[in-house]
C-alpha cells in the first residue's frame, strides 16, 4: 500500500480483496505486480479526522466520479454503474494489449500502467443524487473510453498492458457517498495525490525493480517479435 499523510491507496484482487505484491523504489514510486486478465479494485483509506472526497484516474482516464469517505473509513472503488435503479461498483481489469518481445532496451513505460488518486476537501464535487453518476450512459462512456485509450495506446505507443472494464461488481451502500464530479476540475481544494504503477513480472524486470533472469537479454534478441495487436487484449 502507498501511504501519503493520513491516506492509503492500494490495489486489491476483485474476488478476494487481498492486496497484490508491491515494490517500493528509491524514486518514491510503488510498483504493484498484477498479471494480465486480473480484475482489481482500488482500495482507499481515510485516516484523517475529517471526511474527504476522492477522485480517480486510471491510465490518465478520469473515472468521472467523486466518493466521499468519512473519517477513519475505507472504500473499494472501480467503475460506477446502475442496475435496476441500484448503484454498483464494477471492477477494473488488467488487459494485455500486445504479445511481443524485443530487445532489452525497450522502455519500461510500455509495460506499466498508472493509477492516480486525488484527495480533496468535500467542496469539489457536484452536490447531486448519487444516482446521477451511475447512469448506464455515463458508465458505458467510461468503459468505452478505457477500451479506446487502451487500443490507441497499443497502436501508437505499443503499450503492452492497460486497464479496461472487468465483470466483478458489488452494490454500493452504507455511509459512503458517490456523486458526479465536474469534468476537468482543477486542483482547488486538493489535499493529497497518490500514485501507483501497476505491471506484470515482465514490467518489473523492464523497470529494473526485479533482476533480470539468466539469459534474459539474449532470449529477447533471438525471439521473433509478434506485432499483432487486437482490441480487448486478445491476440
Amino acid at each position: 500500500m502507498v501511504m501519503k499523510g493520513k491516506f492509503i491507496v492500494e490495489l486489491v484482487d476483485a474476488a478476494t480483496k487481498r492486496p497484490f505484491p508491491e515494490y517500493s523504489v528509491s524514486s518514491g514510486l510503488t510498483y504493484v505486480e498484477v498479471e494480465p486478465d486480473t480484475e482489481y479494485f482500488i482500495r482507499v483509506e481515510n485516516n484523517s479526522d475529517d471526511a474527504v472526497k476522492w477522485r480517480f484516474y486510471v491510465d490518465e482516464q478520469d473515472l468521472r466520479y467523486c466518493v466521499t469517505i468519512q473519517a477513519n473509513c475505507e472504500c473499494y472503488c472501480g467503475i460506477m454503474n446502475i442496475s435496476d435503479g441500484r448503484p454498483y461498483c464494477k471492477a477494473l481489469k488488467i488487459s494485455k494489449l500486445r504479445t511481443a518481445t524485443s530487445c532489452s532496451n525497450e522502455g519500461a513505460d510500455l509495460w506499466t500502467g498508472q493509477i492516480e488518486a486525488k484527495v480533496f476537501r468535500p467542496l469539489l464535487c457536484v452536490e447531486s443524487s448519487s444516482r446521477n453518476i451511475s447512469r448506464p450512459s455515463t458508465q458505458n462512456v467510461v468503459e468505452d473510453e478505457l477500451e479506446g485509450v487502451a487500443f490507441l495506446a497499443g497502436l501508437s505507443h505499443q503499450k503492452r498492458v492497460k486497464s479496461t472494464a472487468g465483470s466483478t461488481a458489488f452494490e454500493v451502500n452504507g455511509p459512503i457517498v458517490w456523486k458526479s464530479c465536474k469534468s476537468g476540475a482543477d486542483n482547488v481544494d486538493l489535499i493529497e495525490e497518490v500514485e501507483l504503477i501497476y505491471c506484470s513480472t515482465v514490467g518489473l524486470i523492464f523497470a529494473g525493480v526485479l533482476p533480470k533472469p539468466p539469459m534474459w537479454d539474449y532470449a529477447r534478441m533471438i525471439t521473433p517479435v509478434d506485432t499483432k495487436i487486437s482490441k480487448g487484449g486478445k491476440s
Side-chain angles (χ1 to χ4, degrees), residues 55-68:
R55 185 169 182 170
F56 304 98
Y57 302 82
V58 177
D59 299 324
E60 300 183 353
Q61 172 65 43
D62 188 352
L63 295 189
R64 297 187 177 184
Y65 68 86
C66 292
V67 55
T68 299

Side-chain angles (χ1 to χ4, degrees), residues 6-195:
K6 296 183 178 181
F7 309 106
I8 291 174
V9 180
E10 64 181 351
L11 302 188
V12 300
D13 184 273
T16 66
K17 302 302 189 295
R18 293 178 180 174
F20 298 107
E22 295 180 349
Y23 303 83
S24 297
V25 298
S26 58
S27 65
L29 288 176
T30 296
Y31 287 79
V32 184
E33 184 176 3
V34 188
E35 297 304 323
D37 298 323
T38 301
E39 295 192 7
Y40 70 91
F41 288 109
I42 306 168
R43 190 187 83 87
V44 296
E45 190 174 325
N46 173 22
N47 293 314
S48 72
D49 296 327
D50 301 297
V52 295
K53 290 186 184 287
W54 294 74
R55 185 169 182 170
F56 304 98
Y57 302 82
V58 177
D59 299 324
E60 300 183 353
Q61 172 65 43
D62 188 352
L63 295 189
R64 297 187 177 184
Y65 68 86
C66 292
V67 55
T68 299
I69 303 179
Q70 302 302 316
N72 300 306
C73 289
E74 65 174 10
C75 182
Y76 296 91
C77 304
I79 298 174
M80 295 306 299
N81 191 11
I82 190 168
S83 179
D84 297 327
R86 298 177 179 179
Y88 284 82
C89 183
K90 192 173 187 180
L92 291 144
K93 179 181 179 180
I94 307 295
S95 292
K96 188 176 182 181
L97 297 181
R98 180 186 175 97
T99 302
T101 55
S102 64
C103 59
S104 60
N105 63 354
E106 191 172 41
D109 61 321
L110 300 184
W111 294 88
T112 60
Q114 179 189 47
I115 305 293
E116 185 178 13
K118 293 185 177 183
V119 187
F120 297 89
R121 293 182 180 85
L123 297 178
L124 170 69
C125 299
V126 177
E127 293 300 322
S128 57
S129 168
S130 60
R131 293 187 179 184
N132 284 353
I133 73 137
S134 304
R135 297 188 305 267
S137 59
T138 300
Q139 184 263 351
N140 289 340
V141 166
V142 172
E143 287 193 25
D144 290 345
E145 288 185 356
L146 282 171
E147 293 281 0
V149 167
F151 183 54
L152 291 175
L155 290 176
S156 61
H157 304 296
Q158 300 183 348
K159 288 287 274 188
R160 306 299 195 248
V161 293
K162 294 287 280 188
S163 285
T164 56
S167 58
T168 306
F170 65 88
E171 185 176 353
V172 175
N173 50 38
I176 307 300
V177 179
W178 308 78
K179 294 184 182 294
S180 58
C181 214
K182 295 178 182 178
S183 179
D186 56 25
N187 290 336
V188 174
D189 294 319
L190 177 67
I191 300 173
E192 197 66 82
E193 293 181 81
V194 185
E195 181 183 356

